[in-house]
Amino acid sequence: MDRIFSGVQPSGNLHLGNYLGAIRNFVRLQEQYECIYCVVDMHAITVWQDPKELRHNIRELTAAFIAAGLDPTKNVIMNQSQNSHHAELAWIFNCVARLGWLNRMTQFKEKAGKNRENASVGLYAYPNLMAADILAYKATHVPVGEDQKQHLELCRDIAQKFNNDFGVDLFPIVEPLILGPATRVMSLRDGSSKMSKSDPSDNSRINLTDDADAIAQKLRRARTDPEPLPSEPDGLDGRPEAANLVGIFAALADSSVEEVLREHGGSLFSDFKNALTEIAVAKLGPIGAEMQRLVADPAYIDGVLADGAVRARALSEPVMAEVFETVGFVRT
Ligand code: AMP
Ligand code: TRP
């Protein structure tokens, strides 16, 4: 049976992009596949995290998974650092992946910025750990937002090189699942940059914990252009802010860009933003409220993660035994 794996970093400020690009699709996939959803705390520390905040953010993200509709009895919900197989396989992949491959990763270049010499080694090797997350379970399908496409190509290259080097057919070649009309949600302040947890302006994103007033205010202030909405998708060409809001609407309404424009073409942004606020509050409000309720019960959250860790290790154990045997390690 096909197996799904995906991860989200517990680095705070979980936003609408994370929801529409990733978490919402996780919920849909749980009906069809065996799924492992991971709070990737080891990825989070590739940039500085305050330990107290990290602990809170791990629990909050776990709560968000459950509040969005993931069933912890049906899926494995876990945090990465509680299954050491991820780190063990990542080391082996550090020895498979080539420097030249990692040098091409655009996310490293963006995150490291100008001062590359000062970036952590972990940030550089981050895609190898991501490949290990997936392949420790021989997962075949990985739901993510558009920005993770390059990392998944690297995961395929690593699987292929490992299989070739050792003359085995051990790792699957994974398929990305980039689903829905909002696979790359843009900043509300700048249609040319991605909505991101690390944007210093809180007005650039809608957080899953924002209340109705905050959502309304951020959408009211969202950047647009002076033209009314077009009636056809090609009328959005060269209008990134308009395209972004229409894509968000379509995703929240379970509709398509064509359909949204059929209904709202010709509207002024002031009216469209009211309609968008209404649907955003209706869809996100209950998730935020449920997150708050769950976070207030850390014992329950920790129980979910403890159970997830046990079930995850049971799944990765046989894969790791095969890997160690293939590589030539002696296990006594
Ligand atoms: P991260 O916050 O980097 O851990 O991302 C978690 C998941 O959310 C990944 O699948 C990302 O591709 C997805 N994601 C992050 N930002 C966005 C965005 N602005 N639009 C769509 N998907 C996103
Ligand atoms: N790198 C991903 C991100 O920042 C998170 C992640 C880590 C992930 N491991 C993964 C996503 C494995 C999918 C599969 O969004």
Side-chain angles (χ1 to χ4, degrees):
M1 182 179 156
D2 289 331
R3 194 178 270 173
I4 296 266
F5 183 98
S6 195
V8 179
Q9 300 188 64
S11 35
N13 296 335
L14 211 57
H15 55 71
L16 185 64
N18 297 130
Y19 180 64
L20 295 179
I23 299 171
R24 194 176 74 132
N25 298 323
F26 300 175
V27 179
R28 298 186 171 174
L29 291 161
Q30 70 181 338
E31 304 302 331
Q32 292 159 278
Y33 297 93
E34 178 184 25
C35 302
I36 304 155
Y37 294 121
C38 189
V39 175
V40 290
D41 43 14
M42 287 156 61
H43 276 109
I45 63 163
T46 56
V47 297
W48 170 251
Q49 304 291 330
D50 175 81
K52 217 169 127 229
E53 283 173 27
L54 179 62
R55 212 170 280 126
H56 171 78
N57 289 337
I58 292 168
R59 294 191 174 115
E60 188 180 72
L61 177 53
T62 309
F65 280 173
I66 301 167
L70 289 180
D71 178 349
T73 60
K74 215 185 251 178
N75 307 284
V76 174
I77 296 181
M78 61 170 307
N79 61 318
Q80 191 183 28
S81 61
Q82 290 209 79
N83 181 1
S84 56
H85 290 151
H86 294 238
E88 292 172 42
L89 187 57
W91 180 260
I92 293 172
F93 287 169
N94 284 343
C95 305
V96 173
R98 308 287 94 183
L99 283 178
W101 300 359
L102 290 177
N103 285 338
R104 285 196 285 275
M105 295 295 114
T106 52
Q107 186 174 296
F108 173 76
K109 292 179 200 165
E110 279 160 25
K111 284 201 178 177
K114 288 197 187 77
N115 197 358
R116 203 175 294 184
E117 295 289 306
N118 199 36
S120 74
V121 175
L123 189 66
Y124 185 72
Y126 172 120
N128 295 344
L129 176 60
M130 180 163 160
D133 295 338
I134 300 164
L135 295 175
Y137 303 96
K138 293 194 183 179
T140 51
H141 294 78
V142 183
V144 282
E146 176 89 33
D147 61 339
Q148 295 302 312
K149 215 168 147 188
Q150 194 185 33
H151 288 157
L152 290 180
E153 276 158 21
L154 187 90
C155 175
R156 292 162 67 102
D157 290 343
I158 289 175
Q160 215 136 35
K161 181 160 165 47
F162 183 99
N163 287 348
N164 282 342
D165 286 354
F166 293 101
V168 291
D169 189 20
L170 204 163
F171 290 121
I173 307 305
V174 304
E175 291 292 337
L177 296 175
I178 299 175
L179 306 168
T183 56
R184 186 175 172 82
V185 176
M186 307 308 281
S187 156
L188 299 178
R189 309 298 297 166
D190 171 7
S192 67
S193 71
K194 190 177 71 166
M195 185 177 286
S196 141
K197 289 168 175 165
S198 56
D199 194 314
S201 162
D202 196 56
N203 284 324
S204 69
R205 65 182 160 259
I206 292 177
N207 300 307
L208 292 189
T209 49
D210 282 346
D211 62 17
D213 286 345
I215 293 174
Q217 200 178 70
K218 287 177 180 179
L219 286 175
R220 212 176 310 121
R221 289 185 186 161
R223 202 165 132 184
T224 48
D225 56 46
E227 302 296 317
L229 281 176
S231 307
E232 305 280 342
D234 57 10
L236 292 170
D237 291 350
R239 300 177 65 186
E241 285 88 8
N244 190 37
L245 295 185
V246 172
I248 291 172
F249 193 110
L252 286 171
D254 272 325
S255 172
S256 63
V257 167
E258 287 80 3
E259 190 133 335
V260 172
L261 292 180
R262 214 171 297 135
E263 194 178 329
H264 294 274
S267 293
L268 296 175
F269 271 106
S270 49
D271 296 329
F272 182 67
K273 283 176 168 182
N274 287 336
L276 181 55
T277 300
E278 199 174 309
I279 191 162
V281 169
K283 296 279 175 169
L284 303 181
I287 299 176
E290 181 64 1
M291 266 171 81
Q292 256 177 8
R293 195 185 70 78
L294 290 167
V295 163
D297 187 359
Y300 168 72
I301 299 281
D302 292 4
V304 167
L305 293 175
D307 175 58
V310 171
R311 287 161 63 201
R313 274 196 295 267
L315 295 174
S316 56
E317 190 73 56
V319 180
M320 293 308 289
E322 235 186 311
V323 169
F324 292 141
E325 174 66 25
T326 301
V327 170
F329 289 165
V330 174
R331 312 283 289 181
T332 57

